[in-house]
Amino acid sequence: MSLNELLAGVRVVGVVCNQWGDTGKGKVVDVLAEKWADVIARGTGGANAGHTIVCDGREFIFHLVPSGILHDSKGKVNVIGEGVVLDPCTLVDELSQLDRAGFSCDNLRISHEAKLVLPHHLVLDRAREFKKGTGKIGTTGRGIGPAYEDHVARRGLVVNDLLNQDAFVKKLAKVLENARLELRAMELDEPVLHEIFNHPLLSNGTFYHSGKLFDEPAIVRTYMEDYAKRLAPFISDTGSFMRGTVGKKNILLEGAQGLLLSVDHGTRPYVTSSDPSINGLAKGVGLRERDVQLCLGIVKAYMTRVGGGPFPTELGGKESEGYCNDHSHNKEFERSAYSHVPLNAQNDLERGIALRIKGQEYGATTKRPRRTGWLDLVALRYAVQFNGPLLFLTKADVLDGCEEMRVCTQYSYTGPDYWYGETLLKSGTLLDRFPVDSSVLEHVQPLYTTLKGWNTPTHSIKSFDSLPRELKEFVRFVETHSQGKMCGLSNGPDREDIIFF
Ligand code: GDP
Ligand code: IMO
Ligand code: MG
């Protein structure tokens, strides 16, 4: 099926991730924005997202601006919806980068109801992770959790408050009062506080006040002078705009994070603080889930995860998790120490490293090495229940030359007796269903089917029929075991590297 056939008569499409994020959503959104969409909207998460687009040999990484922005000059409207937690510092920086690169953003719209990320959100996020020691979530440090907390606690500020200084000052005083209480209770030493505040996204330490912890006037100045003035022309009621556009224009919803990171459906507590499912996404732009006619659930041909939390199919298991969360093991280190290691290495930890190097699996937001592992169809079956059966495969080309690959289809529970819903799990219990509770998930052993790999380079192939037989079999295997239907694949980072079947 061609792209035109797939999208015939369709007006609203969603692109979401069926894994733990970083599956290539940005690339797919950029392509669909160019070929089909009139309006492209983000509705969940914030600057924790890092969406990469490669065009004409240039790489762009967007955190807040939707991935359709490179088509702004063709009149395409990019929307940051009300479900987003918006850090104006990151956004202003992104707009300047676009400007320097020669791209316009004249048609960008920012929801007046988007949640405003403030300095105390980043500070609390970092301070909590610092205090935790072991068992860290491994957040991106972008203030996401605390920002959503202020929202549900009914004290958070929204983007509209940037337009009204008096309201901003009053509400800020209230949220800071609360943040001070929490921060004081942590009893952090002065040098630690200095280090936490001394970050470019926190105005390089200028928001710190040794007595009051937060320098309120400095925050007001920066938000009013540097951010409000720059962003005001883009701020509007995007919810009404979106609802009024349904059925009239082609709308593309861009997911952030991934289903397994959902605060509602993910592997808690190792999750983000929004719901990246298609339901959460539709709500976050002011639409209903039933307005979305087609949802593309992105599936990477293998899996990655950044930060903490169970990852049953991780290559190298716990050793890999520790290795990846050790700050000295960055991209440069791996390039010099491990570039000779083949994808078919015998040792699983090394194999995971080789996969990371080949797939360039380093955080687009934090630069952290992403933990790598085999495709998990137990998890995919679960994600399909929320995001629907339509699948899109990415990064299959990274597995070119892999002699054989493992795909997980079931788990065997290995932990102590544990009630999970109506089932008493005992060591040896087989699980077909994905347990979101991390205390179960960390005690499962994946049961694998081994599939034969392909030797032919797939990068420049332009049709499903021309793909190597083993890759077609891989696609069919994934469909059969996930009850999904694959509608296309991406076989390289560039815009051109895409096939719809
Ligand atoms: P997102 O967060 O889902 O948008 O994904 P990221 O941008 O964080 O990570 C995806 C990475 O894979 C980026 O570096 C992309 O340029 C790259 N990428 C996307 N699709 C493909 C593909 O099909 N093959 C290869 N080799 N790289 C891809
Ligand atoms: P995109 O949109 C991968 C992960 C973090 C951490 C957890 C909580 O690029 O796919 P947070 O900062 O949100 O409180 O961190 O969620 N995480 C992501 N992992 N891709 C992302 O976004 C992510 N956004 C958050 O690593 O484990
Ligand atoms: Mg990403």
Side-chain angles (χ1 to χ4, degrees):
M1 197 187 275
S2 68
L3 182 62
N4 286 342
E5 285 166 335
L6 182 71
L7 298 177
V10 172
R11 283 299 205 175
V12 185
V13 172
V15 172
V16 291
C17 162
N18 276 333
Q19 298 168 336
W20 279 293
D22 303 328
T23 40
K25 298 177 290 293
K27 177 207 156 140
V28 175
V29 167
D30 169 62
V31 170
L32 292 178
E34 182 191 18
K35 296 189 189 301
W36 177 80
D38 305 308
V39 176
I40 304 96
R42 276 270 312 264
T44 50
N48 48 351
H51 296 178
T52 315
I53 296 169
V54 179
C55 69
D56 305 328
R58 286 200 288 181
E59 186 183 79
F60 298 85
I61 298 176
F62 297 119
H63 303 288
L64 280 166
V65 171
S67 298
I69 198 71
L70 301 183
H71 309 289
D72 175 89
S73 63
K74 293 168 224 149
K76 314 237 170 187
V77 178
N78 281 269
V79 173
I80 301 178
E82 62 221 52
V84 169
V85 282
L86 185 144
D87 183 347
C89 177
T90 302
L91 184 57
V92 164
D93 188 45
E94 272 181 3
L95 297 184
S96 307
Q97 281 180 32
L98 279 164
D99 195 36
R100 282 198 298 275
F103 287 90
S104 65
C105 53
D106 300 339
N107 300 296
L108 177 69
R109 296 181 187 219
I110 303 169
S111 168
H112 66 152
E113 285 294 330
K115 285 78 199 151
L116 198 59
V117 173
L118 288 154
H120 69 280
H121 296 135
L122 282 90
V123 169
L124 290 177
D125 191 3
R126 284 153 193 266
R128 288 176 192 172
E129 287 284 280
F130 172 84
K131 275 298 252 195
K132 264 194 190 127
T134 54
K136 282 187 185 17
I137 290 173
T139 72
T140 59
R142 297 298 191 267
I144 306 300
Y148 278 117
E149 281 169 33
D150 271 354
H151 171 60
V152 293
R154 296 166 290 192
R155 59 172 173 249
L157 279 73
V158 293
V159 164
N160 202 67
D161 293 317
L162 288 175
L163 304 176
N164 300 286
Q165 180 157 345
D166 288 351
F168 181 89
V169 170
K170 255 194 217 142
K171 291 182 185 175
L172 178 70
K174 267 223 155 113
V175 285
L176 288 186
E177 209 176 283
N178 216 72
R180 279 190 188 104
L181 283 177
E182 182 178 341
L183 203 54
R184 287 216 169 93
M186 287 189 203
E187 300 182 328
L188 297 170
D189 295 335
E190 191 90 5
V192 174
L193 279 170
H194 266 283
E195 195 176 323
I196 288 173
F197 272 84
N198 197 9
H199 189 278
L201 291 174
L202 284 163
S203 221
N204 293 317
T206 56
F207 294 144
Y208 181 63
H209 184 290
S210 62
K212 296 192 204 150
L213 293 176
F214 295 98
D215 186 336
E216 242 166 281
I219 297 173
V220 173
R221 252 191 330 271
T222 305
Y223 272 64
M224 289 298 137
E225 294 300 315
D226 298 348
Y227 306 153
K229 284 201 179 128
R230 178 77 177 98
L231 299 180
F234 303 105
I235 299 172
S236 65
D237 178 356
T238 62
S240 294
F241 168 73
M242 294 297 292
R243 290 185 288 279
T245 305
V246 172
K248 299 186 184 127
K249 294 201 163 168
N250 292 344
I251 299 178
L252 179 60
L253 307 185
E254 174 179 7
Q257 289 77 56
L259 193 276
L260 305 180
L261 286 170
S262 166
V263 69
D264 296 319
H265 314 299
T267 54
R268 60 169 198 281
Y270 300 96
V271 291
T272 188
S273 298
S274 64
D275 174 21
S277 73
I278 190 63
N279 298 286
L281 176 54
K283 182 176 156 196
V285 299
L287 298 183
R288 304 164 304 172
E289 190 268 335
R290 68 171 130 133
D291 292 324
V292 183
Q293 294 155 289
L294 205 102
C295 176
L296 251 58
I298 312 275
V299 179
K300 187 149 64 177
Y302 48 93
M303 304 274 276
T304 58
R305 172 162 211 170
V306 197
F311 180 0
T313 60
E314 182 167 15
L315 277 155
K318 280 270 159 215
E319 199 185 345
S320 160
E321 181 178 357
Y323 170 96
C324 289
N325 289 329
D326 174 337
H327 296 299
S328 60
H329 296 146
N330 53 25
K331 183 172 176 174
E332 289 66 39
F333 166 79
E334 291 199 330
R335 265 211 200 127
S336 64
Y338 285 102
S339 54
H340 62 284
V341 176
L343 209 49
N344 296 308
Q346 288 303 309
N347 174 293
D348 269 351
L349 180 72
E350 290 195 350
R351 200 167 189 183
I353 295 172
L355 188 55
R356 181 160 50 251
I357 294 173
K358 184 146 182 234
Q360 287 296 296
E361 298 293 355
Y362 301 91
T365 298
T366 58
K367 312 293 169 219
R368 291 177 290 180
R370 296 171 180 156
R371 300 154 62 194
T372 49
W374 298 114
L375 183 58
D376 183 342
L377 297 181
V378 184
L380 181 58
R381 276 201 292 274
Y382 175 73
V384 161
Q385 292 169 33
F386 297 93
N387 289 334
L390 199 64
L391 305 177
F392 184 93
L393 186 69
T394 56
K395 304 191 85 160
D397 56 296
V398 176
L399 297 178
D400 291 357
C402 189
E403 283 161 11
E404 52 181 30
M405 58 204 62
R406 277 178 271 163
V407 182
C408 169
T409 51
Q410 205 181 27
Y411 299 145
S412 170
Y413 180 69
T414 57
D417 288 6
Y418 188 85
W419 276 104
Y420 189 60
E422 69 279 29
T423 313
L424 175 61
L425 301 175
K426 288 179 165 291
S427 184
T429 306
L430 293 179
L431 289 168
D432 289 308
R433 278 187 297 152
F434 185 73
V436 285
D437 182 342
S438 286
S439 47
V440 176
L441 202 57
E442 70 190 8
H443 292 298
V444 301
Q445 189 195 332
L447 303 179
Y448 289 111
T449 299
T450 301
L451 301 179
K452 205 171 169 320
W454 53 92
N455 244 328
T456 337
T458 53
H459 176 70
S460 49
I461 295 178
K462 295 287 173 208
S463 73
F464 182 75
D465 288 344
S466 314
L467 292 173
R469 181 173 47 82
E470 295 84 356
L471 175 49
K472 286 190 229 169
E473 283 169 10
F474 176 81
V475 167
R476 296 300 171 227
F477 189 88
V478 174
E479 289 181 329
T480 306
H481 289 267
S482 64
Q483 281 107 45
K485 178 83 188 106
M486 207 71 89
C487 69
L489 67 73
S490 160
N491 53 348
D494 208 90
R495 275 179 182 169
E496 312 304 320
D497 307 324
I498 199 157
I499 308 172
F500 286 91
F501 350 125

